């Protein structure tokens, strides 16, 4: 994946570098500058060079993904932010720890991402690669699209299970990530300042999709598969949903009407 990773432009991403100990309300410290550091009253919080590289990547991907969704949906899309945090953070959906994994919070309409999750993706799930990380961001921003369009309503409070509304919603978010993957595969995008995928990048994403299917996660955790507890879909379903978006590049393939349709 090629990206120019411009630093500090656009303000799409905010890095809340946190520590367990302080108990500060970090959200109130966040600003619009896409900063790689956040200060609190105790002074600036140090980030490692690897984390800063991560911040730049997430920033670039979040901007690119949102450009795509905006292009497809016009005024129906409203840009949001990805909050990258370390250890723990408070969101409108409650407090999150690294163990929570990436999530979208409808309450404040932001995506929350723990810097350590990408290491997890590589080590624990065996799904390395920058595009695997981009896929996760595309998926979470896909939930933002669903929220803006009111598509998440029907899954609220619904039961889990292989054919549940919540699984359908997760698979749709995978499909939306795929639509971005399609757009980002067009050549000439890198020259134009966007992200351009290399051949083989899609394999990274598909590997990630199959690594984080409910069946695989459950098997890793409990040694068996329990379809009645599914909330995200199986690995095969997730790969298929992502592929539907990736091959078509069309939101309608994900069940979402585009402008004028
Ligand atoms: Zn999801």
């Amino acid at each position: 994946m090629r990206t120019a990773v411009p630093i500090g432009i656009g303000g799409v991403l905010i890095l809340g570098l946190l520590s367990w100990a302080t108990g500060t309300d970090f959200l109130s410290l966040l600003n619009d500058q896409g900063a790689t550091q956040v200060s609190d009253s105790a002074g600036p919080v140090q980030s490692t060079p690897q984390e800063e590289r991560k911040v730049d990547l997430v920033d670039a991907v979040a901007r690119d993904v949102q450009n795509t969704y905006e292009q497809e949906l016009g005024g129906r899309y409203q840009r949001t932010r990805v909050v990258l945090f370390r250890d723990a953070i408070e969101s409108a959906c409650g407090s999150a720890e690294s163990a929570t994994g990436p999530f979208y919070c409808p309450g404040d309409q932001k995506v929350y991402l723990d810097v350590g999750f990408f290491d997890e993706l590589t080590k624990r799930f065996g799904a390395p690669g920058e595009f695997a990380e981009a896929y996760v961001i595309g998926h979470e921003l896909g939930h933002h699209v669903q929220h803006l369009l009111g598509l998440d309503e029907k899954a609220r409070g619904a039961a889990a299970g292989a054919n549940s509304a919540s699984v359908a919603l997760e698979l749709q978010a995978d499909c939306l990530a795929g639509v971005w993957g399609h757009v980002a595969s067009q050549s000439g995008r890198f020259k134009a300042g966007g992200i351009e995928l290399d051949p083989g990048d899609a394999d990274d994403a598909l590997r990630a999709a199959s690594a984080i299917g409910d069946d695989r996660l459950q098997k890793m955790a409990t040694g068996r598969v329990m379809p009645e507890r599914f909330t995200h879909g199986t690995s095969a379903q997730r790969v298929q949903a992502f592929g539907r978006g990736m091959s078509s590049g069309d939101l309608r393939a994900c069940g979402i009407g585009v402008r004028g349709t």
Side-chain angles (χ1 to χ4, degrees), residues 147-192:
H147 182 65
L148 292 174
L149 300 180
L151 299 169
D152 54 350
E153 290 295 332
K154 57 185 176 208
R156 201 159 294 157
N163 298 310
S164 65
S166 90
V167 167
L169 211 62
E170 293 304 328
L171 295 176
Q172 187 179 55
D174 286 334
C175 184
L176 286 167
V179 169
W180 172 71
H182 178 94
V183 172
S185 302
Q186 316 298 317
S187 60
R189 294 186 92 245
F190 178 68
K191 272 199 186 121

Side-chain angles (χ1 to χ4, degrees), residues 139-140 143 170 232:
H139 173 98
E140 297 305 333
H143 285 314
E170 293 304 328
H232 282 73

Side-chain angles (χ1 to χ4, degrees), residues 8 33 40 46 51 58 62 71 77 92 118 122 124 147-148 172 187 224 226 231 252 255:
Q33 301 308 309
D40 64 14
Q46 288 303 313
E51 279 173 339
V58 172
Q71 228 155 44
Y77 189 78
F118 294 137
T122 304
R124 191 159 156 239
H147 182 65
L148 292 174
Q172 187 179 55
S187 60
R224 60 203 184 92
M226 298 167 285
T231 55
R252 282 170 298 192

Side-chain angles (χ1 to χ4, degrees), residues 213-236:
D214 280 331
D215 48 349
R216 174 112 182 256
L217 293 182
Q218 283 181 350
K219 215 166 185 174
M220 284 171 70
T222 67
R224 60 203 184 92
V225 176
M226 298 167 285
E228 71 280 5
R229 298 247 189 103
F230 281 2
T231 55
H232 282 73
T234 63
S235 294

